[in-house]
Amino acid sequence: QVQLVESGGGLVQPGGSLRLSCAASGSIFSIYVMGWYRQAPGNERELVARITSGGSTNYAESEKGRFTISRDTAKNTVYQQMNSLKPEETAVYYCYTANGTNVYWGQGTQITVSS
């Protein structure tokens, strides 16, 4: 089992920035990817960004150049810096990780982009 604890959500004005953190614990030796999905009301959950154990990153097209995903291997923590946030990015953001068998999800953190 892997446990994920997220932090860093909240209310931000359009154009503002937030930084999400996700700390993994438990059976983490075999995980190969960590990242973030988000889900807005009435929408499907969608990938925002991910980073592999080798350091490769992938972003949703709309986030390229504004979001940066990084990791601290020693702390088993992944971060997502989000800049120039838009109202349409209001959603619950979920941290996830996967090993060869299972996908694990955090509890989700609400981000609201509004003036």
Side-chain angles (χ1 to χ4, degrees), residues 6-27:
E6 303 146 334
S7 61
L11 174 65
V12 63
Q13 292 186 344
S17 298
L18 281 176
R19 188 192 194 210
L20 298 178
S21 300
C22 176
S25 62
S27 301

Side-chain angles (χ1 to χ4, degrees), residues 69-81:
I69 190 168
S70 61
R71 62 180 184 168
D72 184 331
T73 304
K75 295 182 178 180
N76 300 313
T77 299
V78 65
Y79 306 96
Q80 179 163 280
Q81 177 67 40

Side-chain angles (χ1 to χ4, degrees), residues 7-100:
S7 61
L11 174 65
V12 63
Q13 292 186 344
S17 298
L18 281 176
R19 188 192 194 210
L20 298 178
S21 300
C22 176
S25 62
S27 301
I28 60 173
F29 58 91
S30 60
I31 62 174
Y32 63 88
V33 64
M34 291 186 73
W36 299 89
Y37 275 71
R38 67 184 173 209
Q39 187 167 22
N43 291 355
E44 295 185 354
R45 196 171 292 191
E46 61 179 2
L47 177 68
V48 179
R50 61 187 175 192
I51 184 167
T52 70
S53 57
S56 298
T57 58
N58 296 98
Y59 297 92
E61 193 64 32
S62 59
E63 270 65 54
K64 289 180 180 179
R66 297 186 299 118
F67 289 15
T68 303
I69 190 168
S70 61
R71 62 180 184 168
D72 184 331
T73 304
K75 295 182 178 180
N76 300 313
T77 299
V78 65
Y79 306 96
Q80 179 163 280
Q81 177 67 40
M82 303 177 292
N83 299 327
S84 302
L85 282 160
K86 305 173 182 179
E88 55 265 37
E89 292 169 331
T90 294
V92 178
Y93 284 68
Y94 296 92
C95 178
Y96 86 103
T97 188
N99 56 24

